[in-house]
Amino acid sequence: MLSLEHIYKTYNRGTVNETPIFDDFNLTIEDEEFVTVVGSNGSGKTSLLNIICGSIDVDAGSTLINGVDITRMDDFKRYRKIGRVYQNPAMGTCSEMTILENLSMADNKGKPFNLTPGTDKRRIDFYRENLRHLGLGLEDKLNVTVGSLSGGQRQALALLMSTLTPIEFLILDEHTAALDPKTAETIMELTDKLVRGKGITTVMVTHNLRYATGYGNRLIMMHEGKIILDNKGDDKCKTSIEELLGIFNRISIECGN
Amino acid sequence: MDMLISILEQGLIFAIIAMGVYITYKILDFPDLSVDGTYPLGAAITATMIASGINPLLAMLAAIAAGAAAGLVTGLIHVKLKVRDLLSGIITMTALYSVNLHIAGKANLPIFNTTTIFNNGIVNTIFPAFLEPYKTLIIIFLVALAAKLLLDWYLKTKSGYLLRAVGDNPAVVTSLANDKGTIKIIGLMISNALVALAGSVMCQQQRFFEVQMGIGTIVIGLAAVIIGITLFRKLRRVKPTTAVAVGSILYKACVALAITYGLSATDMKLVTAVLFLLILVIAMERRSRRKKLA
């Protein structure tokens, strides 16, 4: 279980660019929930993910994992339990290292990075098997540097790397946004398969309303740092794209656009 | 012939520096100026210890440890105090100038007629007479080779993978639940340990420590790295450590030629700087041309 309690956050406090983003924000995510998050730009979606992962500090409030307060925990320590895939496919992989080297590192997450050989040759078949599941032909390119792969291939690899070891939470930050429609579809299906197969609690930010309604078992809509729609279970299944678009339009009018 | 041997000797010693600079400049993307201080640091420690009759191998180990410690200082300044990379190196380099003077006790410490790795009971007996002129070169080659093999091995370990990852994409290191700052510090320590080792070998080869000997170390190291990497870019089989070693020898050859053909030793640093600029421009030119073709 992951909870954010009474979160306050203002960017550039005390300057002309002061931007309040969260004012007493609360959210609890139960185990094995797959939450899709939608909302206009500046609504606080990415800030929400950054606060969960510890990439930014909060002004007040607490972040808890299974009841344990991690508000002051360094970001890299939180990643023992968290996997994250970014919008930019380049963020999740090392471009000058080979697929095999990247996977070997990901496979060693949670264990010491000591002076034993970086790649365990006995694990190569396991990597190959996992790559085959992606269906992108990467299983024959183990010794190719990641920099020469396409964006979709890199993103698929990043997704595989972030879920290769057991994690409790998967954070997806518009991870299909930079891909062409066909590849985005492939990555989304892979994501769903991985999340369901491993029962990972997942938060996915997306601008694609079809993905937001079609995947996951809870849908959150954010606006100006507040949750304005929170549908679970049956309500989530019934939420339609038209309904979401309607709310988006209403908000825009209220904002004077 | 003498000149060739001298170029190879100097080039191989600087190859060790180049391997250190390769770690910071190429892998970590960290322009580390501490090496201008850690190179004479290795020399100062070695000269002082040898002058007081300590085993030269022990002196070399002490130099390596001191270099690593200096790298640690640069790393801590950069990572913990959040000082910019270039400035962190400058701070350590400046401080080391005084430290080196303190260690050696004076600006110039000769160690003639002492036991060094080039002049001791074992070496003097195992080398047959016909190899005598190459004795120094062979020993330097063995030290450089050992450094290269160790570094090659390290870069293939789990820890080495993280070091390569942190320069490539720090976000990956964070998502692997490792502190990127710590990894950077480890890289700086290894780099400066290598550079101090080079200083130790150099002071035994030229048989003195001189406080000014570190000026321009970073430039020579960078030049060697850039020449090596640019030359061998197409040959994937050649390990970067080998490439930068060849780069170092070529660079030393260029400088030696420039001085043979009329430039005085006074102009040494000027030649160094101009050559480095030329190499930089040529390397950039080649890169941009490749971009246009692509």
Side-chain angles (χ1 to χ4, degrees):
Chain A
M1 194 179 75
L2 176 80
S3 13
L4 300 177
E5 293 177 354
H6 308 292
I7 299 288
Y8 290 80
K9 175 71 188 173
T10 300
Y11 287 114
N12 306 314
R13 185 178 284 283
T15 71
V16 280
N17 293 323
E18 188 169 292
T19 324
I21 185 82
F22 290 127
D23 185 40
D24 196 11
F25 179 87
N26 293 281
L27 175 67
T28 299
I29 297 165
E30 300 295 337
D31 287 344
E32 302 206 13
E33 266 186 345
F34 182 170
V35 187
T36 58
V37 183
V38 293
S40 46
N41 293 322
S43 60
K45 304 184 302 292
T46 299
S47 298
L48 169 68
L49 300 188
N50 283 336
I51 286 171
I52 293 174
C53 295
S55 318
I56 57 173
D57 289 328
V58 293
D59 299 334
S62 24
T63 313
L64 297 104
I65 285 186
N66 302 328
V68 180
D69 193 328
I70 57 155
T71 318
R72 301 269 159 256
M73 190 190 266
D74 285 326
D75 55 354
F76 71 92
K77 288 182 187 153
R78 298 185 194 201
Y79 280 103
R80 284 177 198 151
K81 292 184 176 174
I82 299 177
R84 187 174 187 175
V85 185
Y86 299 85
Q87 177 176 357
N88 180 354
M91 285 287 280
T93 47
C94 286
S95 59
E96 284 171 36
M97 299 176 77
T98 63
I99 294 183
L100 181 57
E101 287 168 338
N102 271 280
L103 283 171
S104 304
M105 283 196 295
D107 196 21
N108 199 51
K109 177 170 168 173
K111 291 181 227 143
F113 281 81
N114 50 26
L115 295 178
T116 54
T119 300
D120 183 351
K121 295 208 164 65
R122 289 166 300 181
R123 296 287 283 170
I124 292 180
D125 284 336
F126 169 72
Y127 302 148
R128 213 172 249 136
E129 196 50 43
N130 273 284
L131 288 169
R132 195 170 290 124
H133 283 306
L134 301 178
L136 295 169
L138 292 179
E139 62 273 19
D140 304 321
K141 295 186 176 173
L142 278 175
N143 292 313
V144 168
T145 49
V146 171
S148 60
L149 302 181
S150 70
Q153 288 174 322
R154 280 188 83 160
Q155 197 67 315
L157 184 62
L159 186 65
L160 176 59
M161 282 173 68
S162 62
T163 53
L164 200 60
T165 48
I167 47 164
E168 287 181 38
F169 304 98
L170 181 62
I171 304 294
L172 304 168
D173 188 359
E174 295 185 46
H175 72 308
T176 58
L179 308 174
D180 68 67
K182 170 104 190 347
T183 316
E185 202 73 36
T186 314
I187 296 289
M188 202 50 238
E189 277 162 20
L190 279 171
T191 308
D192 196 48
K193 213 159 69 180
L194 276 169
V195 169
R196 281 187 208 226
K198 304 195 177 193
I200 310 169
T201 310
T202 302
V203 184
M204 177 176 84
V205 163
T206 180
H207 279 300
N208 186 318
L209 298 183
R210 201 163 55 75
Y211 293 162
T213 51
Y215 293 94
N217 48 26
R218 181 176 176 188
L219 188 148
I220 286 176
M221 189 168 187
M222 291 182 64
H223 179 61
E224 293 181 342
K226 298 221 158 26
I227 293 174
I228 53 166
L229 183 79
D230 187 353
N231 287 348
K232 299 182 203 181
D234 285 347
D235 288 341
K236 158 73 173 76
C237 297
K238 283 185 234 144
T239 314
S240 67
I241 297 178
E242 289 70 27
E243 185 186 341
L244 292 179
L245 273 174
I247 304 176
F248 265 117
N249 280 329
R250 209 168 60 234
I251 296 166
S252 311
I253 294 162
E254 279 169 13
C255 291
N257 293 330
Chain B
M1 192 63 198
D2 277 353
M3 188 171 145
L4 182 67
I5 290 176
S6 161
I7 289 172
L8 284 174
E9 285 177 5
Q10 299 265 320
L12 283 170
I13 294 175
F14 270 85
I16 304 173
I17 295 179
M19 288 174 215
V21 172
Y22 170 75
I23 294 176
T24 47
Y25 177 74
K26 232 22 213 184
I27 299 184
L28 290 180
D29 197 14
F30 187 117
D32 179 27
L33 292 194
S34 344
V35 296
D36 273 33
T38 42
Y39 176 61
L41 172 68
I45 287 176
T46 308
T48 312
M49 288 177 77
I50 286 179
S52 56
I54 295 169
N55 186 313
L57 284 175
L58 264 178
M60 279 165 80
L61 285 178
I64 291 171
L72 175 68
V73 171
T74 306
L76 289 174
I77 294 174
H78 174 61
V79 172
K80 300 293 174 198
L81 304 179
K82 309 214 183 321
V83 175
R84 278 206 351 230
D85 46 11
L86 200 61
L87 292 178
S88 311
I90 292 177
I91 291 168
T92 308
M93 172 191 91
T94 310
L96 280 176
Y97 190 89
S98 297
V99 172
N100 294 340
L101 274 175
H102 269 292
I103 292 171
K106 48 191 164 182
N108 196 317
L109 180 61
I111 45 165
F112 301 117
N113 303 319
T114 51
T115 306
T116 65
I117 50 165
F118 306 112
N119 176 27
N120 57 55
I122 303 165
V123 185
N124 293 348
T125 49
I126 58 165
F127 274 91
F130 73 95
L131 275 180
E132 190 61 27
Y134 312 107
K135 188 175 75 176
T136 306
L137 177 58
I138 291 169
I139 293 169
I140 292 174
F141 175 77
L142 291 176
V143 175
L145 183 69
K148 176 201 137 59
L149 292 177
L150 263 174
L151 185 55
D152 284 343
W153 163 78
Y154 174 73
L155 291 175
K156 290 247 168 249
T157 65
K158 293 194 169 88
S159 176
Y161 274 23
L162 271 195
L163 181 68
R164 289 157 64 197
V166 83
D168 194 331
N169 184 355
V172 168
V173 174
T174 307
S175 35
L176 291 173
N178 273 271
D179 186 2
K180 53 180 191 281
T182 310
I183 311 292
K184 268 192 191 175
I185 293 175
I186 293 174
L188 283 164
M189 288 175 71
I190 299 175
S191 166
N192 281 290
L194 283 169
V195 175
L197 169 66
S200 172
V201 175
M202 182 62 99
C203 112
Q204 297 183 61
Q205 188 251 10
Q206 62 186 17
R207 297 197 182 82
F208 63 84
F209 156 78
E210 207 267 311
V211 75
Q212 305 276 3
M213 69 189 279
I215 297 175
T217 309
I218 183 68
V219 174
I220 304 174
L222 280 177
V225 169
I226 294 168
I227 296 175
I229 298 292
T230 312
L231 272 184
F232 291 100
R233 200 186 292 273
K234 294 240 169 71
L235 298 170
R236 297 219 134 216
R237 288 270 179 76
V238 179
K239 289 219 169 73
T241 43
T242 314
V244 301
V246 174
S248 164
I249 294 168
L250 285 177
Y251 180 78
K252 278 288 166 187
C254 292
V255 175
L257 279 178
I259 286 177
T260 320
Y261 289 102
L263 282 157
S264 74
T266 323
D267 297 326
M268 183 81 156
K269 298 289 180 200
L270 190 62
V271 175
T272 305
V274 172
L275 251 177
F276 178 55
L277 180 65
L278 274 176
I279 291 158
L280 261 184
V281 172
I282 292 168
M284 283 191 298
E285 181 78 10
R286 284 188 51 161
R287 204 173 311 148
S288 62
R289 209 172 340 142
R290 200 166 325 107
K291 254 185 201 158
K292 268 178 214 153
L293 285 173

